[in-house]
């Protein structure tokens, strides 16, 4: 008896395992064209033995290939401008990962409704001050206060955040792939919309040891979600970046806190209070005419040439205050797993689903925040508990 396999599932699993279609075809003893035909046919009838080979080769349960796939997420649905050198297959991987996240979310949502999406979608030409205000309203935040934990508020407003871990590769080791990794490492995050009606925004981050970069990347992604729901424009990266700074540190509020003579030392206090990097803050102040062009250049030069004696790298890399705050991490996905399934352990979740491999589930939840009062067990080390700001350590000599 033959089994009815969804071709799209085979393509998706292969993409997530970073295998070439020809590698799979070889294992099956097929010409490459037959594999391609399978992947692009809605359904195909296979011998159970062939399905077993595909399942063991791609390390996905057989049932995965027999279940109707979720709506596609294509590389054009990704809200991010990849480095020019990013190959299509890498983007396809990121799209497929987001789609898998979407399927997990939909599964959980069916058991217990996820938080409603409250983030507004606005025209791309909305002023940053206006867009920032609208999003702050959606996050239930006043216009003139720092944002304590952005990821937490964003998830409460219906946008799950995933810190992407590794999925086991099944591809035969290929030097080309290592070169790819180096390219992909450069992107910090991306967003897309998932679900039956593509109405659930999701942000996927790469793990990053800098609290400043994580917060800023998340704010930048919120910019894309808010301003670019109809797709990216040539100016969308600049818009999302300007939005990120305005959301974290509204110019109208920060202007009141600026000293008469702006230095890196005085800005470090502003930075730590508002939770925005010095690099972004300087650009933001300049863009809003709060520092003049000459001062802007001086501050930038200082930032990128001075050394952080604790890390031996420039302040451009490790700014003053680099270890003064906890790295924000998401928690919605594990919270929902615990709520719906009673457990958020990859093997158990994979087994309950019956369709996902444990390492795929692990790649979605390994970067999540552990429960309060629980020992830190996964993810990168966090330098400090809570958002404790240790200002005194960063009192700097005036430039
Ligand atoms: Zn972007």
């Amino acid at each position: 008896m033959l089994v009815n396999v969804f071709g799209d599932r085979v393509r998706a699993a292969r993409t997530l395992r970073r295998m070439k279609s020809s590698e799979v075809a070889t294992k099956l003893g097929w010409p490459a064209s037959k594999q391609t035909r399978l992947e692009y046919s809605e359904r195909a009838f296979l011998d159970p033995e062939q399905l077993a080979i595909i399942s063991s080769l791609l390390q996905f349960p057989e049932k995965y290939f027999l279940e109707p796939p979720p709506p596609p997420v294509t590389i054009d649905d990704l809200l991010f401008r990849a480095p020019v050198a990013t190959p299509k297959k890498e983007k396809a991987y990121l799209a497929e990962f987001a789609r898998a996240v979407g399927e997990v979310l939909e599964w959980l949502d069916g058991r217990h409704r996820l938080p409603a999406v409250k983030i507004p979608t606005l025209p791309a030409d909305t002023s940053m001050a206006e867009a920032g205000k609208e999003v702050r309203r959606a996050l239930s935040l006043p216009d003139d206060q720092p944002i304590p934990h952005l990821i937490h508020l964003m998830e409460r407003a219906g946008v799950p955040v995933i810190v992407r871990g590794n999925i086991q590769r099944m591809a035969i080791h290929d030097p080309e792939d290592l070169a790819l990794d180096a390219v992909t490492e450069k992107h910090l995050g991306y967003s897309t919309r998932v679900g039956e009606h593509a109405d659930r925004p999701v942000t996927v981050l790469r793990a990053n040891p800098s609290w400043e970069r994580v917060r800023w990347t998340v704010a930048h992604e919120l910019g894309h979600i808010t301003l670019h729901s109809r797709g990216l424009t040539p100016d969308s990266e600049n818009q999302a970046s300007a939005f990120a700074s305005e959301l974290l540190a509204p110019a109208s509020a920060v202007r009141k806190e600026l000293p008469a003579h702006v230095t890196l030392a005085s800005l470090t206090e502003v930075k730590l209070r508002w939770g925005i990097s010095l690099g972004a803050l300087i650009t933001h102040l300049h863009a809003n005419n709060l520092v003049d062009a000459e001062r802007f250049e001086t501050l930038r030069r200082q930032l990128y040439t001075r050394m952080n004696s604790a890390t031996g790298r420039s302040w451009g890399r490790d700014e003053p205050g680099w270890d003064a705050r906890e790295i924000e991490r998401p928690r919605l996905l594990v919270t929902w797993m615990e709520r719906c399934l009673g457990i958020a352990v990859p093997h158990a979740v994979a087994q309950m689903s019956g369709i996902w491999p444990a390492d795929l589930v692990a790649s979605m939840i390994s970067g999540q925040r552990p429960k309060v009062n629980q020992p830190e067990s996964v993810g990168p080390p966090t330098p400090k508990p809570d958002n404790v700001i240790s200002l005194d350590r960063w009192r700097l000599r005036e430039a």
Side-chain angles (χ1 to χ4, degrees), residues 79-81 189 220-221 224 232 236-237 240-241:
L79 295 174
F80 89 124
R81 176 122 15 244
H220 174 101
E221 292 307 319
H224 282 314
L232 297 172
S236 53
E237 284 315 302
S241 296

Side-chain angles (χ1 to χ4, degrees), residues 129-142:
E130 190 52 42
K133 264 186 199 156
E134 291 275 340
V135 171
R136 277 178 165 258
R137 203 166 302 145
L139 299 175
S140 308
L141 281 168

Side-chain angles (χ1 to χ4, degrees), residues 154-194:
M154 177 168 164
E155 292 199 303
R156 280 214 330 217
V159 184
V161 178
I162 306 295
V163 178
R164 183 166 62 85
N166 288 328
I167 303 173
Q168 201 188 337
R169 279 164 188 258
M170 293 300 162
I172 295 145
H173 206 63
D174 183 347
E176 191 199 331
D177 283 337
L178 292 177
L180 283 184
D181 280 348
V183 172
T184 331
E185 296 297 290
K186 284 188 190 135
H187 97 269
L188 296 172
Y190 64 99
S191 299
T192 188
R193 284 183 160 77
V194 295

